[in-house]
């Protein structure tokens, strides 16, 4: 697990970009829960998921509106979309586990 920030560094409903071990990560705090997803949208391979907006249980890519479930990164239709990373908190610090997965789009 890697420490990435303090919980207070996150803003409800807004994404934040981190680059950990060369991996692009988008962190979201939504209704008090923290989610860590790949920051790279699979549509055009752009690092923009952290700039997305929240719609129900999804983060919506700001470029063309693809939706990814916060919980597991899957697309609306259940197909794979974004890599989802395990998140834990301890003493107000946020930790994520970087798992190297090579996704075939
Ligand atoms: S780049 Fe994300 S939907 Fe097009």
């Amino acid at each position: 697990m890697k420490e990435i920030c303090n919980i207070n560094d996150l803003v409800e409903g807004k994404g934040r970009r981190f680059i950990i071990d060369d991996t692009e990560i988008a962190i979201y705090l939504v209704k008090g829960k923290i989610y860590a997803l790949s920051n790279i949208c699979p549509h055009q391979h752009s690092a923009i998921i952290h700039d997305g907006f929240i719609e129900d249980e999804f983060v919506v890519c700001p470029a063309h509106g693809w939706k990814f479930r916060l919980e597991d990164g899957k697309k609306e239709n259940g197909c794979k979309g974004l890599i989802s990373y395990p998140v834990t908190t301890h003493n107000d610090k946020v930790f994520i586990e970087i798992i190297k997965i090579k996704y075939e789009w």
Side-chain angles (χ1 to χ4, degrees):
M1 289 287 205
K2 290 240 179 207
E3 179 183 333
I4 53 164
C5 67
N6 198 291
I7 291 174
N8 298 329
D9 297 331
L10 303 174
V11 176
E12 172 70 30
K14 299 272 183 215
R16 248 195 98 168
R17 178 189 193 187
F18 294 89
I19 301 173
I20 313 282
D21 295 343
D22 294 330
T23 302
E24 286 266 358
I25 310 282
I27 303 285
Y28 275 90
L29 172 67
V30 179
K31 294 181 182 158
K33 190 163 178 199
I34 300 168
Y35 302 92
L37 297 168
S38 167
N39 191 36
I40 310 289
C41 182
H43 179 214
Q44 291 190 339
H45 300 275
S46 311
I48 53 173
I49 294 300
H50 68 284
D51 262 342
F53 55 92
I54 301 302
E55 201 175 278
D56 302 321
E57 73 269 37
F58 295 94
V59 56
V60 183
C61 178
H64 311 99
W66 284 23
K67 290 184 181 183
F68 305 96
R69 202 171 5 238
L70 288 162
E71 195 69 46
D72 55 14
K74 289 186 176 173
K75 296 206 290 197
E76 265 184 308
N77 59 8
C79 292
K80 67 183 170 188
L82 302 172
I83 299 167
S84 167
Y85 299 96
V87 180
T88 57
T89 57
H90 183 68
N91 290 341
D92 285 345
K93 299 200 178 310
V94 179
F95 298 83
I96 68 168
E97 187 177 346
I98 302 290
I99 35 175
K100 297 280 184 188
I101 297 174
K102 179 152 176 39
Y103 254 23
E104 303 294 335
W105 303 112

